[in-house]
Amino acid sequence: MSIPTQPTDPAATIPAVGRINWRAARAMLISEGRLLARNPGVVLWTVVLPVAAAIILGSIPAVRRPSAGLGGLSFFQLYQPILVFFAITLLAMQALPDVLTRYREMGVLKRLRTTPVSPTLLLFAQLTLILSVAIVCMALMVVIPPLGGAPWPRNPGGFVITYLLGAWAMLGLGMVIASLFHNAKVAAGFGSFLFFVMQFFAGLWWQRPNMPVWLRDISDYTPSGAAVQGLTDSSIGHWPRALHLIVLAVWGAATSRLAIRFFSWE
Amino acid sequence: MPVIEVTDLRKVYGPRTVVDGVSFSVERGEIFGILGPNGAGKTTTVECIGGLRQRDGGAITVVGMDPAQEGAAFRKVLGIQLQESRLPDKMTVVEALDLYASFYPEPHDPAELLERLGMVEQRKTYFAKLSGGQKQRLSVALALIGNPRVAILDELTTGLDPAARRDVWDLLADLRDTGVTLLLVSHLMEEAERLCDRVIVIDRGRVIAADTPEGLAASVQADQRMSFLPSTPFDLAVLGTLPDVHSVVTAGERIVVIGTDDVASAVIIALHERGISVGRLRVDQPSLDDAFVALTSSDEGSSVAEESVVR
């Protein structure tokens, strides 16, 4: 092996600092995707349950009839948005902090700091992958049930906008967990706790139409409550309320800022 | 102009001064060793040089750049192998090399490096399945993949068995002629002896010796060391005035005297004249390890009270 002669003037070969190295970004994304495919356990477990539940629910005719006890909605209309949001919440609260805290523990992030690319590239690769998996889940939960006779979301635009804002808020929250907790096990524990809190406000156990007014008011200001209501409104043909979209955007912006402020490489 | 120049480097963690005025310079193509016991400040020193820690005082230049600026330009000329840094379990050797190669404008050919490392057979092996020596060789390869002008290797043979250790040493010895400047952190004298052109010894944040490994060894190896229990306590200065004696140290109740080949007889005669007899006498030729221990022994705590008298 011959090591090529080094350039004598370092400045001559070095591009401007801060430019994104797309070749590295692509390589990182491919590499992380490959690792995800080799360790599919967490992600599969995360997505199989809600996707299967949505498909099964959609295939039962009785579930598709409006019910007076559910505020005039059908069981499917009520639960499809909850399940759609269940998947992104689980991915963001569990899978994302898990992989990032483990990379920090292993010194992978610190190791990347010693190269010309920033470890930020790795964070973006992970966010891209997790969001992609979540979007595929969402698509399966929206597209497959209508094949069995369940309704489509009547306002797809509102549905997608709400979903993306909700995903932003959830991934931001996941990043905050990864920033605050440096131990992978502690992060996983806190992520589980937060996941159940989110599901409570989303109405998994106590449906939003049946919540007392004061509790529903609180739920309106949580990312999961706002997102599920926005998705429900969209699926029955309305536009999501501005309040819910603003709540999601504020959560997204605030958690992103916090995560950027407190995330450390080691 | 030196490739690395460190002047009066200081680093403080809370009330503790971890690096306390370290200065040295490394020339192009040198293999330079930073030695010292655990906790001496070696890693902190190289992490400051590598731009991973902000220094609290002093100046550092690496290929004319200040690591504190920490730009991409700096990262391209410097490769670092970190202590205790792992890769994801299911990343293969060749995938790791390809990934890291993509970070640099003019990387080595990963296939060539693999061959050089003797890891062609393991190219598709998962990181988790590699032996300790193979992991370290891969780690060295990742530090070199970007064609750096300077590479910092921190404790790269720690935890390896002797055969794996020699493997890694052979790889580094081969790099000697390529013009890469290597900064090697170690607490193994044998490693330094084998590889380094020059070394410094750091203890408690200060440079306590700077020489070639041969020079360092010779300064102690030319000496003989004797230790004994005196029949009665006496003033150590008595020994310090003898022409054959270089230094006198107490280690518990034992007295350790280092000096010329004739030191043993000179000390015994001098003490005999004062009516003191020499019990449990031991005379030996200190090894390089002993030199290191002698240099850094004050770190061992209160059991060794150093009272060195240099002629």
Side-chain angles (χ1 to χ4, degrees):
Chain A
M1 181 182 71
S2 70
I3 293 180
T5 44
Q6 306 290 347
T8 44
D9 176 16
T13 58
I14 287 156
V17 175
R19 220 174 65 183
I20 296 176
N21 181 342
W22 290 107
R23 191 166 54 103
R26 189 169 157 272
M28 194 86 88
L29 190 61
I30 292 171
S31 169
E32 290 303 309
R34 201 161 38 203
L35 291 171
L36 182 67
R38 284 176 193 161
N39 270 323
V42 177
V43 169
L44 270 185
W45 174 241
T46 306
V47 303
V48 161
L49 181 68
V51 171
I55 292 170
I56 292 166
L57 273 184
S59 68
I60 304 169
V63 169
R64 302 202 293 257
R65 275 183 224 116
S67 158
L70 300 173
L73 296 171
S74 74
F75 197 73
F76 177 78
Q77 282 172 322
L78 188 70
Y79 269 95
Q80 188 200 35
I82 291 175
L83 290 169
V84 162
F85 211 66
F86 185 100
I88 177 76
T89 307
L90 202 49
L91 285 167
M93 303 287 109
Q94 305 262 264
L96 183 65
D98 179 63
V99 67
L100 294 185
T101 46
R102 272 191 300 116
Y103 277 173
R104 189 195 282 123
E105 280 179 350
M106 289 163 66
V108 169
L109 299 176
K110 186 179 176 186
R111 181 73 188 72
L112 284 174
R113 268 189 73 199
T114 70
T115 71
V117 305
S118 162
T120 313
L121 276 190
L122 182 58
L123 303 191
F124 277 115
Q126 277 298 332
L127 286 170
T128 306
L129 283 173
I130 297 231
L131 184 61
S132 307
V133 171
I135 286 175
V136 169
C137 285
M138 183 268 276
L140 291 174
M141 284 188 260
V142 169
V143 170
I144 297 182
L147 300 180
W152 285 87
R154 300 229 182 91
N155 181 354
F159 196 90
V160 167
I161 291 169
T162 310
Y163 182 80
L164 291 178
L165 282 174
W168 181 26
M170 284 299 107
L171 293 173
L173 212 48
M175 289 296 297
V176 170
I177 297 174
S179 304
L180 297 183
F181 299 97
H182 282 207
N183 181 305
K185 291 199 177 87
V186 178
F190 190 76
S192 301
F193 168 72
L194 216 53
F195 170 75
F196 285 111
V197 172
M198 288 296 138
Q199 287 318 119
F200 175 77
F201 285 117
L204 180 63
W205 300 286
W206 194 355
Q207 297 78 19
R208 278 178 47 93
N210 299 334
M211 282 181 186
V213 174
W214 62 270
L215 185 58
R216 196 160 58 222
D217 285 347
I218 296 175
S219 166
D220 277 336
Y221 289 94
T222 64
S224 56
V228 165
Q229 190 57 53
L231 292 173
T232 309
D233 290 343
S234 303
S235 67
I236 58 176
H238 302 304
W239 278 97
R241 282 166 58 196
L243 167 73
H244 293 135
L245 296 183
I246 291 168
V247 164
L248 291 177
V250 168
W251 274 96
T255 50
S256 302
R257 250 201 100 78
L258 272 178
I260 290 166
R261 171 75 183 75
F262 289 108
F263 197 88
S264 65
W265 305 125
E266 33 184 301
Chain B
M1 195 185 123
V3 172
I4 302 175
E5 186 143 39
V6 177
T7 316
D8 200 26
L9 176 66
R10 301 174 68 81
K11 177 74 191 174
V12 180
Y13 287 127
R16 226 157 49 90
T17 302
V18 181
V19 180
D20 191 5
V22 166
S23 302
F24 63 91
S25 66
V26 183
E27 300 296 328
R28 184 188 139 88
E30 261 191 314
I31 301 184
F32 191 89
I34 298 183
L35 310 176
N38 293 330
K42 306 185 298 284
T43 293
T44 307
T45 299
V46 293
E47 287 190 344
C48 287
I49 296 170
L52 293 169
R53 298 263 172 275
Q54 289 295 325
R55 59 183 185 265
D56 294 313
I60 303 174
T61 56
V62 178
V63 204
M65 285 181 269
D66 182 346
Q69 312 285 324
E70 216 197 304
F74 176 71
R75 300 270 157 239
K76 278 168 193 158
V77 297
L78 182 78
I80 307 185
Q81 181 261 331
L82 292 168
Q83 213 177 333
E84 289 168 9
S85 165
R86 288 176 290 153
L87 290 170
D89 282 352
K90 291 199 173 171
M91 187 180 272
T92 69
V93 169
V94 72
E95 284 166 6
L97 286 170
D98 283 341
L99 178 64
Y100 277 71
S102 78
F103 301 162
Y104 296 89
E106 292 169 38
H108 270 305
D109 177 5
E112 238 177 64
L113 258 183
L114 274 178
E115 199 169 317
R116 175 62 166 271
L117 288 160
M119 292 185 78
V120 175
E121 277 178 39
Q122 284 83 32
R123 63 192 298 278
K124 293 199 169 164
T125 306
Y126 286 155
F127 181 75
K129 298 262 168 74
L130 295 174
S131 71
Q134 288 165 344
K135 282 179 182 166
Q136 288 301 70
R137 273 188 285 167
L138 177 58
S139 187
V140 173
L142 292 181
L144 299 173
I145 188 87
N147 246 324
R149 300 171 72 182
V150 179
I152 295 177
L153 307 171
D154 191 358
E155 297 282 2
L156 80 164
T157 60
T158 303
L160 297 188
D161 60 59
R165 188 171 283 166
R166 268 192 294 277
D167 267 5
V168 176
W169 288 346
D170 288 346
L171 170 70
L172 295 188
D174 288 349
L175 289 174
R176 191 184 294 276
D177 304 323
T178 60
V180 181
T181 305
L182 291 180
L183 191 58
L184 210 66
V185 177
S186 182
H187 64 268
L188 293 176
M189 274 310 234
E190 195 192 347
E191 189 164 287
E193 198 175 17
R194 182 111 171 211
L195 295 171
C196 293
D197 299 310
R198 285 190 303 139
V199 298
I200 56 171
V201 180
I202 294 184
D203 190 21
R204 286 186 284 185
R206 292 169 179 276
V207 176
I208 55 170
D211 207 335
T212 61
E214 296 76 23
L216 205 61
S219 70
V220 194
Q221 265 177 341
D223 291 357
Q224 259 191 3
R225 185 172 71 167
M226 65 178 297
S227 70
F228 59 92
L229 285 171
S231 54
T232 53
F234 66 99
D235 183 5
L236 294 179
V238 166
L239 300 180
T241 58
L242 297 173
D244 289 312
V245 171
H246 293 162
S247 67
V248 182
V249 173
T250 58
E253 297 194 340
R254 285 183 86 80
I255 292 172
V256 180
V257 184
I258 293 166
T260 67
D261 287 350
D262 298 325
V263 71
S265 53
V267 166
I268 292 166
I269 291 167
L271 290 180
H272 183 73
E273 282 167 0
R274 286 167 178 76
I276 302 163
S277 68
V278 166
R280 300 183 61 182
L281 174 67
R282 241 182 71 187
V283 181
D284 53 2
Q285 200 80 12
S287 67
L288 192 58
D289 276 333
D290 289 331
F292 179 64
V293 171
L295 277 167
T296 59
S297 61
S298 51
D299 201 44
E300 299 299 315
S302 55
S303 66
V304 180
E306 193 170 35
E307 201 175 312
S308 184
V309 184
V310 178
R311 187 165 60 104

